[in-house]
Short mmCIF file of all heavy atoms in Angstrom, two decimals:
data_model
loop_
_atom_site.label_atom_id
_atom_site.label_comp_id
_atom_site.label_asym_id
_atom_site.label_seq_id
_atom_site.Cartn_x
_atom_site.Cartn_y
_atom_site.Cartn_z
N THR A 11 -0.59 26.01 8.62
CA THR A 11 0.30 26.68 9.56
C THR A 11 -0.47 27.85 10.19
O THR A 11 -1.52 28.26 9.68
CB THR A 11 1.54 27.26 8.85
OG1 THR A 11 1.08 28.25 7.93
CG2 THR A 11 2.31 26.18 8.11
N PRO A 70 -10.60 40.09 14.07
CA PRO A 70 -9.73 40.90 14.93
C PRO A 70 -8.50 40.10 15.36
O PRO A 70 -8.59 38.89 15.60
CB PRO A 70 -10.62 41.22 16.14
CG PRO A 70 -12.01 41.08 15.65
CD PRO A 70 -11.97 39.99 14.60
N CYS A 79 -4.87 28.86 19.40
CA CYS A 79 -4.78 27.85 20.45
C CYS A 79 -5.31 26.49 19.98
O CYS A 79 -4.98 25.46 20.57
CB CYS A 79 -5.56 28.27 21.70
SG CYS A 79 -4.91 29.76 22.46
N PRO A 84 -7.98 19.85 12.27
CA PRO A 84 -7.59 18.92 11.20
C PRO A 84 -8.69 18.65 10.18
O PRO A 84 -9.87 18.59 10.55
CB PRO A 84 -7.23 17.63 11.95
CG PRO A 84 -7.65 17.80 13.36
CD PRO A 84 -7.98 19.22 13.60
N ARG A 87 -9.12 12.44 6.25
CA ARG A 87 -9.71 11.49 5.30
C ARG A 87 -10.12 10.25 6.09
O ARG A 87 -9.30 9.63 6.76
CB ARG A 87 -8.67 11.12 4.23
CG ARG A 87 -9.11 10.03 3.27
CD ARG A 87 -9.87 10.54 2.08
NE ARG A 87 -10.32 9.43 1.24
CZ ARG A 87 -9.71 9.01 0.12
NH1 ARG A 87 -8.63 9.64 -0.30
NH2 ARG A 87 -10.20 8.00 -0.57
N TRP A 143 -22.84 25.44 23.72
CA TRP A 143 -22.72 26.88 23.54
C TRP A 143 -22.41 27.56 24.88
O TRP A 143 -21.54 28.41 24.98
CB TRP A 143 -23.99 27.48 22.91
CG TRP A 143 -24.00 28.99 22.97
CD1 TRP A 143 -24.88 29.76 23.64
CD2 TRP A 143 -23.06 29.89 22.35
NE1 TRP A 143 -24.57 31.09 23.50
CE2 TRP A 143 -23.44 31.20 22.71
CE3 TRP A 143 -21.94 29.71 21.54
CZ2 TRP A 143 -22.75 32.33 22.28
CZ3 TRP A 143 -21.23 30.84 21.12
CH2 TRP A 143 -21.65 32.13 21.49
N ILE A 156 -14.98 38.75 31.28
CA ILE A 156 -16.39 39.17 31.39
C ILE A 156 -17.14 38.10 32.19
O ILE A 156 -16.81 36.92 32.12
CB ILE A 156 -17.02 39.30 29.98
CG1 ILE A 156 -16.24 40.34 29.16
CG2 ILE A 156 -18.50 39.68 30.06
CD1 ILE A 156 -16.69 40.42 27.71
N VAL A 160 -25.67 31.82 32.36
CA VAL A 160 -26.18 30.91 31.32
C VAL A 160 -27.50 30.27 31.76
O VAL A 160 -27.58 29.72 32.86
CB VAL A 160 -25.16 29.79 31.02
CG1 VAL A 160 -25.68 28.86 29.93
CG2 VAL A 160 -23.80 30.38 30.62
N VAL A 165 -34.17 20.07 30.64
CA VAL A 165 -33.97 18.64 30.36
C VAL A 165 -32.49 18.32 30.16
O VAL A 165 -31.99 17.28 30.61
CB VAL A 165 -34.84 18.17 29.16
CG1 VAL A 165 -34.54 18.95 27.90
CG2 VAL A 165 -34.65 16.68 28.90
N ARG A 174 -22.86 21.28 32.83
CA ARG A 174 -23.04 22.30 33.85
C ARG A 174 -21.75 22.46 34.64
O ARG A 174 -21.27 23.57 34.85
CB ARG A 174 -24.19 21.92 34.79
CG ARG A 174 -24.31 22.83 35.99
CD ARG A 174 -25.39 22.44 36.98
NE ARG A 174 -25.44 21.02 37.34
CZ ARG A 174 -24.54 20.39 38.10
NH1 ARG A 174 -23.51 21.04 38.59
NH2 ARG A 174 -24.68 19.10 38.37
N LEU A 209 -34.82 25.52 23.81
CA LEU A 209 -33.97 26.68 23.54
C LEU A 209 -34.82 27.94 23.56
O LEU A 209 -34.41 28.99 24.04
CB LEU A 209 -33.25 26.52 22.21
CG LEU A 209 -32.06 25.56 22.26
CD1 LEU A 209 -31.50 25.33 20.87
CD2 LEU A 209 -30.96 26.09 23.17
N ALA A 216 -32.94 34.67 28.94
CA ALA A 216 -31.66 35.38 28.80
C ALA A 216 -31.89 36.80 28.27
O ALA A 216 -31.28 37.76 28.74
CB ALA A 216 -30.72 34.60 27.91
N THR A 223 -30.62 44.35 32.95
CA THR A 223 -29.35 44.52 33.66
C THR A 223 -28.42 45.48 32.92
O THR A 223 -28.06 45.21 31.78
CB THR A 223 -28.64 43.14 33.81
OG1 THR A 223 -29.60 42.16 34.16
CG2 THR A 223 -27.54 43.19 34.85
N GLY A 231 -25.66 31.62 20.20
CA GLY A 231 -24.67 30.68 19.66
C GLY A 231 -25.00 30.08 18.33
O GLY A 231 -24.24 29.26 17.80
N HIS A 236 -24.64 36.77 12.09
CA HIS A 236 -23.26 37.08 12.50
C HIS A 236 -22.58 35.87 13.13
O HIS A 236 -21.37 35.73 13.06
CB HIS A 236 -23.19 38.32 13.42
CG HIS A 236 -23.82 38.16 14.77
ND1 HIS A 236 -25.14 38.46 15.03
CD2 HIS A 236 -23.31 37.74 15.94
CE1 HIS A 236 -25.40 38.24 16.31
NE2 HIS A 236 -24.30 37.79 16.88
N PRO A 259 -14.85 19.12 -2.83
CA PRO A 259 -16.03 18.33 -2.47
C PRO A 259 -17.17 18.40 -3.50
O PRO A 259 -17.48 19.47 -4.00
CB PRO A 259 -16.48 18.93 -1.13
CG PRO A 259 -15.92 20.30 -1.11
CD PRO A 259 -14.65 20.27 -1.92
N HIS A 329 -43.05 29.00 16.91
CA HIS A 329 -42.17 29.29 18.04
C HIS A 329 -42.61 28.61 19.32
O HIS A 329 -41.87 28.58 20.30
CB HIS A 329 -42.02 30.81 18.24
CG HIS A 329 -43.28 31.50 18.65
ND1 HIS A 329 -44.26 31.84 17.75
CD2 HIS A 329 -43.72 31.90 19.86
CE1 HIS A 329 -45.25 32.43 18.39
NE2 HIS A 329 -44.96 32.47 19.68
N ILE A 336 -34.97 14.54 22.54
CA ILE A 336 -33.87 13.78 21.94
C ILE A 336 -32.55 14.20 22.58
O ILE A 336 -32.43 15.29 23.13
CB ILE A 336 -33.79 13.98 20.41
CG1 ILE A 336 -33.74 15.47 20.05
CG2 ILE A 336 -34.93 13.26 19.72
CD1 ILE A 336 -33.36 15.75 18.62
N GLY A 373 -23.12 7.14 14.51
CA GLY A 373 -22.10 7.60 15.45
C GLY A 373 -21.25 6.46 15.99
O GLY A 373 -20.03 6.59 16.12
#
Side-chain angles (χ1 to χ4, degrees):
T11 63
C79 297
R87 174 87 183 261
W143 169 244
I156 301 173
V160 180
V165 58
R174 172 183 46 71
L209 284 173
T223 318
H236 67 269
H329 66 280
I336 53 167

